[in-house]
Amino acid sequence: MSDLPLRSQLAVALGRTAAKMSRLAGRGDGSVIGGRIGLRLDPELLTRLAKDRKLVLVSATNGKTTTTRLITSAMTPLGEVATNAFGANMPTGHVSALASAPGAHYGVLECDEKYVPMVLRETGANVVALMNLSRDQMDRAAEIWLLAGKWRRALEASPQSHVIANCDDPLVTWGASTAKSVTWVAAGQHWREDSWCCPECGGPLDRRDTEEDSDWACRQCHFRRPRPDWTLKGDQITDPQGRVFPLTGLSLPGRANRSNALVALAVVAQFGVPPEQALPLLAQVTSVAGRYTTVEHQGRTMRLLLSKNPAGWLEAFDVLQPAPGPVALSINAQGPDGRDTSWLWDVDYRILRGRPVWVTGERRVDLAARLEAAEVSFTVVDDIDQAVMSVPPGHLDIIANYTAFQSIRTRYGRVV
Amino acid sequence: MSSDRIKIVWIYPDLLSTYGDQGNTIVLERRAALRGIPTQTVSLRSDEPVPADGDIYLLGGGEDRPQILAAQRLRGDGGLARAVQSGAVVFAVCAGYQLLGHEFGGEEGQPVQGLGLLDIRSTRGEQRAVGEIVGDVAAELNVPRITGFENHQGVTHLGPNARPFAQVVHGVGNGDGFEGAYRGRVLGTYMHGPALVRNPGLADLLLRWAVGRDLQPIDDSWAGRLREERLNAVMG
């Protein structure tokens, strides 16, 4: 910190004051406003704050916040780690995260997919973890083929960055394959509707799935899945040296989190933290910014699941209590959710047949029309309380998209 | 309809399926089934030939590069043009709508040759049109006011052989006060939502064209509520 020019020190201090005031006013954790003020005063602030630190950028359509948290936890043996734990994943959030941990030699930064090129340029991050790309909030997000192309150019221009990439996602593989050095992680891909075509030439991709492996290759050109350095079969992890570890004891549920954990292990191994040391640290992460949190209310045990897009819903369905466990769904379409609800038609809701299903949120009528077409029985209620009080005491899974999730979290207590 | 069932061909979901386009297929299947009309749906990948015996062909939205690939493959295949000649119904949305025309704008705005099945030309506009769209449909189609969501940067110009599908009441559409285009049974629109979910009257128009007769009414309460809610959200 003391190495920073005076102007940057001032920028950091004023940003911190603004963040504190924002927190006191109850307007979130203040990291966005703090970073914004800091960058206004010193546009080079992110570069200066990143200097002399070892940084990891984490990006994907889904799982960024969780994986950032897992990596941060597994890096604790190295010393203090700066991180944007609350999902403020644009440069303003990165500035806040780094400024608030001036003594940290390490940083793990969740990064919005669009900002990867810019943040890579400004920080020269040592490690970049890229996990998955799929359709998401099309009314404001970039087209993903375009996005992967930008990753390619950014990584080509950043030869000092080592990339950890999911080779089961063809678009991520393409986006990462211009990097000078890559560790390929077989982290799985369950949503495939955005990767039927070769990102390199547009030809058809052929898939070959066996219990052991899940391979893909273009039928027309040379582009094919690289040989993975890290694999996960069932609960067995194999590292690049061929050593096998059991991935047991994770507190976060579901296959998506097993994939996130595998990526985290590959990232921290890059810094010399071996899997046997990292695994117990991954297990300590129980909930991430309220996701997967269990809340007790009036005899009901509710589990809160955040799902923002079709690929995310697939992973949420994977961790539901077995049928006929009740489910409440809440959908909004405010700015952060995407104002276009057409993606509901990309989710296969038939898996909810035979369960009691409650439907709420500002766009509950869209969801009702969707469930009717999927022949899922449902009850529409005005708010989440009505759903909670309608189920008998016991377990209730709640799946909600972004702002719907935040309002439910606020209603039942902000548990982090 | 060539047999006792409606054959629906969903063209290239591997390239053109970005905005819940599957919803249009699901709605057609369901609205036919509720009237006792069986359907058969083919999800046609872009490496497969386009079957000539479809009754309704659906094309969805897509990114720039997949749109160009889809246009190239459909032109090379020729099956869709033959189906149109023999009277098939085509319903195309957004990128799918543009590629039915003579040409459209590629990634850098370069003109890309389309299928020429609709007398339209599309170019890249200055600004992206994103938001709710409402329109009053050409009177001869007998479809109530339409509601949808648009997200595109295209400006579409209609030639003398295409008619505007609707007059824009809210939103952008083609960019000239109209939205979509049709000729005969080939209809294109910028509306997703998906369009046939929010507009059961439009879904029934396609089904009527396919079966060649009027259809009995069915319970539309959720679709009706959705329509009303969306129209109220925009029109107040």
Side-chain angles (χ1 to χ4, degrees):
Chain A
M1 259 309 267
S2 54
D3 294 348
L4 289 179
L6 198 58
R7 185 183 178 83
S8 308
Q9 289 189 37
L10 183 69
V12 166
L14 283 174
R16 224 183 265 161
T17 308
K20 193 171 176 192
M21 287 171 72
S22 176
R23 270 197 302 279
L24 289 173
R27 302 172 69 120
D29 78 330
S31 54
V32 172
I33 180 72
R36 191 174 295 156
I37 287 176
L39 278 171
R40 179 87 43 92
L41 287 171
D42 178 6
E44 306 284 312
L45 191 54
L46 183 54
T47 306
R48 293 193 219 279
L49 288 169
K51 194 166 169 280
D52 299 328
R53 302 203 220 211
K54 293 196 185 315
L55 292 185
V56 182
L57 301 186
V58 182
S59 199
T61 302
N62 289 320
K64 306 185 271 287
T65 308
T66 302
T67 308
T68 298
R69 181 66 169 273
L70 289 170
I71 296 169
T72 306
S73 180
M75 277 176 55
T76 46
L78 301 171
E80 192 189 353
V81 182
T83 186
N84 50 342
F86 295 97
N89 62 14
M90 294 188 267
T92 47
H94 302 148
V95 162
S96 288
L98 296 176
S100 59
H105 291 296
Y106 293 88
V108 184
L109 300 177
E110 171 187 340
C111 188
D112 180 279
E113 305 90 282
K114 287 193 297 296
Y115 283 91
V116 167
M118 176 185 171
V119 176
L120 195 55
R121 202 166 52 237
E122 303 216 344
T123 64
N126 304 70
V127 174
V128 184
L130 304 171
M131 300 180 295
N132 55 72
L133 280 174
S134 68
R135 61 189 68 183
D136 183 31
Q137 301 169 27
M138 299 294 297
D139 63 312
R140 65 190 185 90
E143 299 183 337
I144 53 178
W145 205 332
L146 215 62
L147 203 59
K150 289 180 181 165
W151 285 4
R152 284 172 71 81
R153 289 191 287 282
L155 291 171
E156 200 168 11
S158 190
Q160 79 288 0
S161 303
H162 182 80
V163 174
I164 311 283
N166 178 8
C167 62
D168 287 334
D169 185 318
L171 200 50
V172 167
T173 303
W174 187 67
S177 53
T178 53
K180 196 163 178 202
S181 62
V182 186
T183 299
W184 298 108
V185 180
Q189 186 197 37
H190 297 101
W191 171 264
R192 294 182 171 179
E193 300 307 316
D194 294 305
S195 46
W196 291 114
C197 288
C198 173
E200 178 76 22
C201 78
L205 284 183
D206 290 323
R207 302 270 191 164
R208 195 176 52 82
D209 292 306
T210 62
E211 274 194 16
E212 285 295 289
D213 205 9
S214 166
D215 198 9
W216 55 263
C218 177
R219 201 182 299 165
Q220 285 176 5
C221 76
H222 65 279
F223 191 62
R224 59 175 308 130
R225 179 180 182 245
R227 215 176 72 79
D229 300 299
W230 292 77
T231 61
L232 175 62
K233 283 165 196 162
D235 286 331
Q236 297 270 298
I237 294 168
T238 307
D239 79 356
Q241 286 74 45
R243 298 184 306 159
V244 176
F245 300 89
L247 179 58
T248 48
L250 269 192
S251 309
L252 299 177
R255 64 191 178 202
N257 284 318
R258 289 202 295 277
S259 298
N260 294 337
L262 184 69
V263 171
L265 290 176
V267 169
V268 300
Q270 202 63 28
F271 294 102
V273 182
E276 54 270 42
Q277 192 179 9
L279 277 163
L281 296 165
L282 299 183
Q284 287 175 9
V285 179
T286 53
S287 92
V288 180
R291 298 152 205 208
Y292 312 106
T293 296
T294 300
V295 217
E296 302 284 337
H297 182 75
Q298 306 259 353
R300 279 82 176 168
T301 305
M302 297 172 280
R303 187 162 50 161
L304 308 186
L305 301 167
L306 173 70
S307 284
K308 299 182 279 195
N309 49 45
W313 279 78
L314 211 55
E315 302 308 344
F317 290 156
D318 177 56
V319 301
L320 292 181
Q321 292 288 105
V327 182
L329 311 175
S330 183
I331 295 294
N332 287 354
Q334 297 181 16
D337 307 306
R339 289 178 297 130
D340 179 6
T341 55
S342 62
W343 59 270
L344 291 172
W345 292 83
D346 288 323
V347 180
D348 190 351
Y349 287 98
R350 290 175 297 181
I351 196 164
L352 299 179
R353 286 177 186 167
R355 294 173 184 265
V357 176
W358 277 268
V359 169
T360 190
E362 292 160 5
R363 297 302 286 270
R364 53 191 176 273
V365 179
D366 292 71
L367 190 52
R370 175 67 190 98
L371 293 178
E372 181 191 46
E375 295 172 4
V376 173
S377 306
F378 59 89
T379 308
V380 175
V381 288
D382 290 337
D383 56 50
I384 194 69
D385 274 346
Q386 280 187 33
V388 170
M389 298 319 290
S390 304
V391 299
H395 190 93
L396 171 67
D397 283 316
I398 301 177
I399 311 180
N401 68 345
Y402 196 74
T403 65
F405 181 87
Q406 298 303 352
S407 79
I408 294 169
R409 238 183 114 194
T410 307
R411 170 69 186 83
Y412 295 118
R414 291 177 75 90
V415 188
V416 174
Chain B
M1 199 161 66
S2 47
S3 62
D4 55 351
R5 53 171 173 65
I6 300 177
K7 182 166 177 176
I8 299 168
V9 182
W10 183 16
I11 301 265
Y12 299 173
D14 53 338
L15 291 172
L16 301 173
S17 166
T18 302
Y19 300 114
D21 296 295
Q22 176 180 228
N24 289 331
T25 312
I26 295 172
V27 164
L28 288 178
E29 287 169 347
R30 175 178 158 77
R31 299 186 72 79
L34 287 171
R35 288 154 169 138
I37 307 168
T39 55
Q40 178 204 357
T41 299
V42 178
S43 294
L44 191 78
R45 275 184 61 155
S46 62
D47 57 334
E48 298 171 326
V50 179
D53 62 343
D55 299 296
I56 302 177
Y57 292 81
L58 297 172
L59 292 93
E63 297 187 15
D64 293 334
R65 226 178 119 188
Q67 180 187 24
I68 295 170
L69 287 169
Q72 284 167 352
R73 286 175 197 174
L74 284 170
R75 277 189 335 114
D77 179 273
L80 187 60
R82 285 193 293 279
V84 167
Q85 270 168 9
S86 46
V89 178
V90 179
F91 179 67
V93 177
C94 206
Y97 165 45
Q98 293 181 343
L99 69 78
L100 288 185
H102 302 296
E103 64 179 34
F104 58 91
E107 298 116 303
E108 312 291 336
Q110 79 278 18
V112 178
Q113 192 177 356
L115 304 184
L117 297 176
L118 269 179
D119 186 15
I120 59 168
R121 275 168 212 283
S122 303
T123 53
R124 261 177 109 83
E126 297 284 303
Q127 272 191 329
R128 210 167 169 84
V130 183
E132 295 282 333
I133 176 165
V134 176
D136 286 328
V137 176
E140 67 166 348
L141 296 179
N142 198 20
V143 170
R145 176 170 275 195
I146 48 163
T147 156
F149 195 97
E150 63 182 328
N151 181 359
H152 61 96
Q153 204 166 348
V155 175
T156 296
H157 312 276
L158 273 61
N161 292 319
R163 293 185 183 174
F165 167 52
Q167 183 155 19
V168 174
V169 178
H170 178 94
V172 177
N174 296 338
D176 60 354
F178 292 101
E179 148 48 30
Y182 71 102
R183 187 193 191 189
R185 295 170 169 192
V186 179
L187 198 158
T189 173
Y190 275 114
M191 288 192 310
H192 54 271
L196 302 186
V197 173
R198 289 196 187 185
N199 303 286
L202 180 55
D204 284 354
L205 171 71
L206 305 181
L207 290 173
R208 269 203 313 276
W209 277 347
V211 300
R213 61 178 161 84
D214 282 342
L215 301 163
Q216 76 228 49
I218 52 175
D219 174 17
D220 271 331
S221 37
W222 281 115
R225 273 182 66 177
L226 178 58
R227 263 180 72 69
E228 207 175 308
E229 187 182 286
R230 288 296 92 214
L231 287 170
N232 284 338
V234 175
M235 310 304 292

